[in-house]
Amino acid sequence: MLDFSDEFGVVTPLTVVPSNTALRLKAIRDFEDDAIKRIAGDEWLFEGPGTFIPRKEVEVLETISAIVINPNQALKLRATAETVDRDGKERVTGEEWIVKKTGAYLPGAYEEIVDVVNAYVLTDKEAVHVKAKKTFVDEFGKTRKNGEEWLITLADTETYIPGVYEDVVGIVKITTLSNRQYCVILDPLGTDGKPQLGRKKLLKGEKSFFLKPGEKLEAGIQDVHVLSENEGLILRAREAFLDNSETPPINRNPGDRWMIKGSTEYIPPTEVEIITKRYAIALDENEGIYVRNIKSGQVRLISGSTYMLNQDEELWIKELPPQVQELLNMGHDPLSDRGSWRLKADTAHFKQKASKSEEEGARAITLRVPHNAAVQIYDYKQKKSRVLFGPDLVMLAPDEQFTQLSLSGDKPKRPNVIKTLCLLLGPDFCTDIITVETADHARLSLQLSYNWYFDVGDKSPQASAKLFSVPDFIGDLCKAVASRIRGSVAGTNFDDFHKNSAKIIRTAVFGLDDNKKVRKTFNFPQNNLNITSVDIQSVEPVDQRTRDSLQKSVQLAIEITTQSQEATARHEAERREQEARGRLERQRISDEVEAEKSRKNLLELKVSSMSIENCGQAKAEALSRAEAQRIEAEAAVEQARSKAEAMKIEAETELERLSKAREEELRYLKEQNNIEVEKLREVADVEVRKFKSMVESLGSDTIQAVACAGQDFQVKLLQGLGIQSALITDGKSPINLFNTAQGFLGSAIAAKRQRLDSDAS
């Protein structure tokens, strides 16, 4: 083979530039290209389709492919130097523009792609908020100032591609109002398109609109105020205006308050603000509320009807002293819970109620006065008091307060133990412990219980007021009675008092009448309190020695009584024990007789059961042996039959398996042979087609060109055909190389066909 690479250098194929592709070229030095004068540093494009022939004055910088602009797309381009775009417009350095034409776009030599811009698809529910970067004229022919903002809606165009001087702020959703809604727009745009700063605009439904740039809703979309018969709205004017909702129209001044009532629907104008919504408060005869006039400050009680506060009224919460509030919140029944009205218990167990709403706090303060009790209420405005008797429900007026009672309690009595609002009229009792001293200086501790009641036969205001004239009637009662008892006991010896204590105490408390008899009651005229009886619950000496002497005498009497009772009980127990022993012995003898009879019957039953058991056992054994032999015989016959069937099934199964195995093996060998024959046939066809294609690829023109070409090209041609030998002459004797080549090819083709035929056979 001949190699001419050293003599001619490496052969480089020419660059083929396909369509929608270009080479970016740069002139290294000045030259003229088809009457175009190129200056060093110039750049231009060689656009396809075509074959680029390189020149030494031209440098290939890069290969540029066209950008496909789809529908609803655009290219943003920037000029890197002064140039003329494909539409023939002159562009300066740094200028940007948009190309919206659909198809392939090949950027120029001095053009760079900034971005691929996708179009915004506008619908009837969305708009595009746009802001101008500089002053320009948009695609709709409108002049836009720098910083100006506007909306692009479906009414302007279906798709929108922002220009180079436009900046998309965002997508604006449509605002829809139903026929039951309204809204207030702040800083609305005027007819000239300029924002009216500080103004408001009211829009009522049904309506759909886009918020313009700079506009915003004051409180969002609001529902129309639907007022029923028991509802109202308190309104206040923000600025002066003519209220046409009234007949005749009324001029409203800033700060005016008024009220509208249902049934109606109301949408407030922009000059009006809603302060609050009022509801009618339904009040029973035993319910009430405190209402305060905000102009005059007057507070009044309203009860027994449905009432709605007007624009000049508000609910008023009545303040009570903390202890009175605690007593009201506990809700104790003075009759059943009298023993738990202790201040310590109240402080420990009282739990403050949860915070109430304004309406609940303004409810009238009430107290249920139980039966046979009284409550005093004082009016600080009129300087008068009134007493109410139970059962009744007391409702306080705005200037009234309860009279709180602080009574003595415990044993012995201590002041300010019981806190209450209700005065129990009795009959009731109280218990006290007092210490007295006899004439022989024996000190005794008495526990006394007094029954008392209030005489309320006359319920006139003057007589009723006397009930509360003594704040602590329990303490006064106990002190007065204790004073009388101490004075009477001081002149009596211990033995006399021990024998006649009840008479001495009753005489000291109630006194004697004109007939020298003990009176039945002791009356306190200050508050009509009457004591009806005195119960001596216990008398105990205070001195330890006196207490020990009394205890010894009592113990001696108890021991004598106990010993006599023990002796009587012991004799009675011995008598009962002897009687029980006799009954037990007789019962034992009768039980032994019955046992012998039962033992005899048991032996007879055992003999009878043994005979029956022996006969049954023999019969059962005989029957079981016969049944076992029968079952064994039947099982042997069934086993032989099953073995015969099993052997038959095994033989048939094995025969079937062998036949199927032979069939599958024959089918497999047949398929394998067919595949091998098909494979050889296809290989032979491939070789024939390959050789035929090689010969046809040369063609008659090629062979003719070989015959007419020079010697070096014939050598390279023969090398390409894979010929390993060559004929070399001195050039003087003519040789027909064409025939020689045909001889070589003919012999090679014949040998190839012979080899393929032998492989196929």
Side-chain angles (χ1 to χ4, degrees), residues 262-306:
S263 302
T264 184
E265 295 181 359
Y266 183 72
I267 298 177
T270 57
E271 300 87 1
V272 176
E273 65 174 340
I274 298 176
I275 298 177
T276 184
K277 188 175 184 179
R278 292 285 169 83
Y279 299 91
I281 303 174
L283 300 174
D284 189 48
E285 294 181 357
N286 296 328
E287 295 178 334
I289 56 173
Y290 300 113
V291 177
R292 177 177 178 268
N293 191 298
I294 61 177
K295 290 184 177 180
S296 63
Q298 181 183 1
V299 181
R300 56 196 180 100
L301 174 64
I302 297 175
S303 63
S305 62
T306 301

Side-chain angles (χ1 to χ4, degrees), residues 107 329 400 628 707:
N329 290 337
E400 291 181 339

Side-chain angles (χ1 to χ4, degrees), residues 442-457:
R443 301 185 67 210
L444 303 175
S445 176
L446 306 180
Q447 180 170 341
L448 306 176
S449 179
Y450 315 116
N451 290 338
W452 56 266
Y453 74 95
F454 284 96
D455 185 8
V456 291

Side-chain angles (χ1 to χ4, degrees), residues 551-566:
Q551 187 173 5
K552 287 180 180 179
S553 62
V554 172
Q555 288 179 353
L556 182 61
I558 292 173
E559 287 178 358
I560 294 172
T561 305
T562 303
Q563 289 176 0
S564 64
Q565 290 178 354
E566 288 180 353

